[in-house]
Amino acid sequence: MSAPFIAKRPPPDFVLCTDRWTQPFWDAARQHRLVAARCASCGRFRMPPTPFCPNCRSQDIHWSTLRGEGVVYSYTVVSRAVLEGMDQHIPYVPAVVSLPDADGVRLISNVVDAPIDSIRVGSPVRVVWDQISPHVVVPRFTLIV
Ligand code: ZN
């Protein structure tokens, strides 16, 4: 029996582009805090953060700090290197993670450091922090076992 394939981190080729609506998310990530934008008028979470609340059109945002736990809503396994230099990052697992303490809003991320064959839709996950450059920290998720 062969060893299970472990979900690796994706290639760190990542250019972070922020604006006034997304910068607070990345500022919190640098502090290892997972946050979600919540309308300061009606309370509805909105991720990704948008200039206007889709519910009440308010532009007021409150950033709620979350527990950092979620549930795999969907995922795929990238097992082929389509670009030069990707070989060492294969396989990796892009995933959509639902955040229960933010009314189920979803975050696109990755599942890492987990046996690929243990990942399921509905798997509970916990945030882990991936420092990919001196100023950029990316939230990833690993399975809660
Ligand atoms: Zn609102």
Side-chain angles (χ1 to χ4, degrees):
M1 185 171 186
S2 61
F5 287 106
I6 302 296
K8 297 180 181 178
R9 278 158 174 74
D13 305 331
F14 186 98
V15 177
L16 181 62
C17 297
T18 64
D19 58 24
R20 67 180 277 216
W21 304 106
T22 58
Q23 186 64 47
F25 178 87
W26 296 105
D27 290 344
R30 277 202 313 274
Q31 300 168 356
H32 294 190
R33 287 186 304 113
L34 186 65
V35 297
R38 185 172 206 176
C39 178
S41 294
C42 74
R44 178 183 245 182
F45 282 95
R46 57 187 206 248
M47 287 295 285
T50 52
F52 294 94
C53 172
N55 189 48
C56 75
R57 302 194 44 83
S58 170
Q59 289 196 289
D60 297 331
I61 287 182
H62 167 75
W63 288 89
S64 294
T65 298
L66 309 177
R67 287 177 299 134
E69 295 182 357
V71 176
V72 174
Y73 178 82
S74 182
Y75 72 97
T76 190
V77 178
V78 177
S79 56
R80 288 183 184 232
V82 295
L83 297 173
E84 190 174 325
M86 285 181 67
D87 301 27
Q88 62 195 0
H89 300 280
I90 301 298
Y92 68 91
V93 179
V96 180
V97 174
S98 177
L99 303 170
D101 57 346
D103 294 343
V105 294
R106 298 176 193 136
L107 190 64
I108 298 172
S109 182
N110 301 92
V111 176
V112 298
D113 302 332
I116 299 274
D117 59 1
S118 296
I119 302 168
R120 302 277 187 279
V121 168
S123 292
V125 289
R126 172 185 314 113
V127 72
V128 292
W129 299 101
D130 195 4
Q131 178 111 30
I132 65 168
S133 76
H135 302 291
V136 178
V137 176
V138 176
R140 316 262 195 222
F141 290 85
T142 192
L143 294 180
I144 297 173
V145 288

